[in-house]
Amino acid sequence: MAVQINPSILSADFSRLAQEAKAVEGADWLHVDVMDNHFVPNLTLGVPIVESLARATDTPLDCHLMIQDADRWAPQYVEAGAGSVTFHAEAAAAPVRLAREIRAMGARASMALKPATPIEPFEDLLPELDMLLIMTVEPGFGGQAFLDIMLPKIRRTRELISKHGLELWLQVDGGVSASTIERCAEAGADVFVAGSAVYGASDPAQAVRALRTQAQAATAQAAWACDH
Ligand SMILES: O=C(CO)[C@H](O)[C@H](O)COP(=O)(O)O
Ligand SMILES: [Fe+2]
């Protein structure tokens, strides 16, 4: 699969969200961080803003729900227009039922793991998912430093995906930038969220293109991609 670059609007100007979304048209997905001040110590936006964003841009929305009670709320983000909904493993009471519900509603189902949550207990669930998100910072804030210690987990997850012959996308989120994206791609990620590295740049669309070029080059050299 081609690499995908998903700018995170967490680092955008929230008073001009429609224009900020348009500034990165050409990106694969727009990453929308939903935070409830309970699952993470920060508060961002909810269903009405996702509904408005879905109308304002042709770029599909990749909603990352950092909220408690994901089982109750995730379907509402599909209804609001998200093309992909990511719930946290730590916040879902019934992740298989929830993933099936999201898929049945016509969206891609994705599950996220905080840095301290291992992938191994979820091996048998992977066929139920369209994407697995490995957090490379503690969720809650943009602009944090990339956690190198997550690289082995990315590698192990890529091995599980290969072992089971899955079509699962492997997303990384947190501290992804020109200086870290190649390590993520080499380890096995193929979907890259970047907030500050895109919206902190003078030309966000150009930053997306540059990250894509770097990720493509690193993937072409990566052992995991050469096996396919
Ligand atoms: O989920 C997130 C934080 O919890 C954000 O998507 C992420 O941090 C993006 O910002 P940056 O690229 O600046 O780290
Ligand atoms: Fe995110």
Side-chain angles (χ1 to χ4, degrees):
M1 192 199 76
V3 304
Q4 301 188 58
I5 307 294
N6 300 3
S8 166
I9 54 152
L10 185 60
S11 302
D13 178 347
F14 274 33
S15 72
R16 320 168 43 249
L17 277 184
Q19 295 99 305
E20 296 280 66
K22 285 190 196 310
V24 293
E25 273 175 2
D28 296 279
W29 296 78
L30 192 63
H31 184 85
V32 182
D33 288 304
V34 178
M35 305 186 189
D36 66 354
N37 199 32
H38 293 278
F39 183 72
V40 289
N42 197 3
L43 188 65
T44 54
L45 53 85
V47 168
I49 292 181
V50 170
E51 274 170 355
S52 299
L53 259 179
R55 283 194 295 270
T57 177
D58 292 332
T59 308
L61 303 184
D62 159 32
C63 280
H64 175 195
L65 306 183
M66 285 161 277
I67 58 176
Q68 287 180 352
D69 204 2
D71 308 71
R72 175 179 165 214
W73 288 104
Q76 296 195 34
Y77 286 88
V78 182
E79 275 175 18
S84 174
V85 175
T86 301
F87 57 85
H88 265 264
E90 305 86 355
V96 173
R97 185 170 63 210
L98 181 55
R100 289 184 180 189
E101 188 177 352
I102 293 168
R103 280 178 157 179
M105 292 175 77
R108 295 180 61 87
S110 165
M111 190 174 76
L113 304 179
K114 290 170 73 173
T117 304
I119 180 63
E120 284 74 13
F122 300 103
E123 179 174 353
D124 293 341
L125 267 64
L126 296 181
E128 300 287 337
L129 301 169
D130 296 301
M131 185 167 78
L132 197 283
L133 164 54
I134 294 183
M135 291 303 301
T136 43
V137 297
E138 288 290 356
F141 301 94
Q144 301 181 76
F146 178 79
L147 292 173
D148 263 307
I149 54 169
M150 290 297 104
L151 290 169
K153 183 155 88 177
I154 299 169
R155 275 192 208 98
R156 291 198 305 276
T157 305
R158 174 53 63 188
E159 283 165 14
L160 291 177
I161 293 169
S162 299
K163 177 176 136 190
H164 293 286
L166 301 172
E167 292 288 316
L168 190 72
W169 296 352
L170 181 49
Q171 184 177 65
V172 283
D173 181 12
V176 176
S177 69
S179 50
T180 58
I181 196 166
E182 288 163 348
R183 275 175 276 167
C184 295
E186 280 157 15
D190 54 11
V191 183
F192 305 88
V193 176
S196 44
V198 169
Y199 282 107
S202 53
D203 182 344
Q206 170 54 27
V208 170
R209 287 192 291 273
L211 288 169
R212 190 192 304 285
T213 302
Q214 272 189 291
Q216 278 168 340
T219 302
Q221 300 293 320
W224 68 267
C226 296
D227 294 344
H228 289 70

XYZ file of all heavy atoms in Angstrom, residues 8 10-11 31 33 35 64 66 135 137-144 173-176 193-197, ligand 1:
191
model
N -2.822 16.598 11.260
C -3.688 16.694 12.437
C -4.087 18.142 12.664
O -3.237 19.014 12.879
C -2.953 16.180 13.676
O -3.674 16.578 14.832
N -5.205 19.352 15.172
C -4.934 19.797 16.540
C -3.970 20.991 16.536
O -4.035 21.854 17.411
C -4.318 18.627 17.340
C -4.076 18.839 18.817
C -5.382 19.144 19.543
C -3.417 17.613 19.442
N -3.079 21.028 15.556
C -2.092 22.113 15.488
C -2.548 23.253 14.577
O -1.766 24.162 14.295
C -0.756 21.565 14.983
O -0.303 20.546 15.830
N -6.765 14.369 10.017
C -6.815 13.713 11.334
C -7.450 14.678 12.338
O -6.971 15.799 12.521
C -5.393 13.349 11.737
C -5.257 12.590 13.005
N -5.377 11.220 13.089
C -4.992 13.004 14.263
C -5.194 10.819 14.329
N -4.961 11.891 15.077
N -8.540 15.208 16.196
C -8.319 14.727 17.563
C -9.455 15.179 18.475
O -9.597 16.364 18.767
C -6.987 15.265 18.097
C -5.810 14.594 17.430
O -5.735 13.361 17.481
O -4.963 15.313 16.864
N -10.933 15.116 22.140
C -10.477 14.901 23.528
C -11.545 15.388 24.494
O -12.158 16.436 24.272
C -9.182 15.669 23.790
C -8.065 15.344 22.818
S -6.537 16.148 23.313
C -5.504 15.820 21.883
N -9.796 10.588 15.609
C -9.070 9.902 16.685
C -9.738 10.280 17.997
O -9.581 11.403 18.474
C -7.596 10.347 16.635
C -6.759 9.814 17.739
N -5.507 10.325 18.038
C -6.960 8.812 18.639
C -4.998 9.667 19.056
N -5.858 8.751 19.446
N -10.047 10.376 21.682
C -9.374 10.218 22.983
C -10.400 10.544 24.058
O -10.337 11.583 24.725
C -8.146 11.129 23.034
C -6.999 10.584 22.187
S -5.775 11.835 21.776
C -6.556 12.582 20.365
N 0.334 4.962 19.320
C 0.677 6.318 19.772
C 2.177 6.382 20.026
O 2.739 5.542 20.735
C -0.071 6.668 21.058
C -1.568 6.856 20.914
S -2.069 8.119 19.726
C -1.279 9.592 20.379
N 3.444 9.277 21.273
C 3.533 10.191 22.434
C 2.416 9.755 23.380
O 1.513 9.015 22.975
C 3.313 11.688 22.069
C 4.398 12.199 21.122
C 1.919 11.918 21.474
N 2.447 10.233 24.611
C 1.276 10.046 25.466
C 0.180 10.939 24.915
O 0.395 12.139 24.699
C 1.586 10.444 26.920
C 2.492 9.478 27.658
C 1.836 8.130 27.986
O 0.635 7.940 27.707
O 2.557 7.264 28.522
N -1.021 10.388 24.635
C -2.056 11.207 24.011
C -2.485 12.379 24.881
O -2.437 12.310 26.099
C -3.209 10.217 23.794
C -2.948 9.077 24.706
C -1.453 9.009 24.885
N -2.891 13.455 24.209
C -3.421 14.611 24.927
C -2.972 15.947 24.377
O -3.703 16.923 24.487
N -1.799 15.988 23.775
C -1.260 17.279 23.328
C -0.455 17.111 22.046
O 0.216 16.086 21.868
C -0.354 17.893 24.407
C -1.084 18.100 25.709
C -1.038 17.133 26.696
C -1.857 19.237 25.918
C -1.746 17.296 27.887
C -2.560 19.407 27.096
C -2.510 18.437 28.085
N -0.491 18.133 21.201
C 0.378 18.172 20.041
C 1.748 18.709 20.447
O 1.944 19.181 21.568
N 2.683 18.600 19.532
C 3.993 19.210 19.730
C 4.905 18.502 20.716
O 5.920 19.066 21.135
N 4.596 17.263 21.093
C 5.466 16.535 22.027
C 6.569 15.804 21.259
O 6.452 15.540 20.061
C 4.658 15.501 22.815
C 3.516 16.063 23.632
C 2.801 14.945 24.393
O 3.300 14.436 25.401
N 1.637 14.547 23.908
N 1.183 8.182 15.430
C 0.665 9.517 15.760
C 1.407 10.044 16.981
O 1.380 9.418 18.047
C -0.841 9.398 16.054
C -1.499 10.730 16.375
O -0.877 11.784 16.157
O -2.660 10.698 16.842
N 2.041 11.226 16.773
C 2.734 11.888 17.875
C 4.201 12.098 17.574
O 4.959 11.133 17.467
N 4.576 13.359 17.390
C 5.982 13.691 17.168
C 6.516 13.240 15.820
O 7.732 13.130 15.640
N 5.607 12.976 14.871
C 6.057 12.551 13.532
C 6.456 13.805 12.748
O 5.680 14.755 12.625
C 4.949 11.759 12.804
C 5.376 11.408 11.389
C 4.596 10.495 13.596
N 0.485 10.410 10.949
C -0.197 11.629 11.404
C 0.880 12.661 11.730
O 1.863 12.340 12.400
C -1.045 11.346 12.662
C -1.672 12.640 13.187
C -2.113 10.304 12.365
N 0.680 13.885 11.262
C 1.628 14.947 11.610
C 0.842 16.232 11.858
O 0.109 16.699 10.982
C 2.640 15.152 10.485
N 0.981 16.775 13.051
C 0.293 18.007 13.418
C 1.209 19.195 13.307
O 1.175 19.957 12.330
N 2.098 19.348 14.294
C 2.963 20.529 14.304
C 3.903 20.558 13.103
O 4.230 21.637 12.595
C 3.735 20.614 15.621
O 4.238 19.364 15.994
N 4.305 19.378 12.594
C 5.226 19.364 11.449
C 4.546 19.870 10.178
O 5.222 20.333 9.258
C 5.770 17.953 11.229
O -3.321 12.504 18.992
C -2.598 13.454 19.102
C -2.144 13.898 20.459
O -2.725 13.123 21.422
C -2.184 14.247 17.880
O -2.745 13.647 16.728
C -0.682 14.367 17.716
O -0.040 14.725 18.846
C -0.334 15.279 16.551
O 0.483 16.337 16.909
P 2.078 16.361 16.679
O 2.334 15.827 15.286
O 2.408 17.789 16.841
O 2.672 15.463 17.737
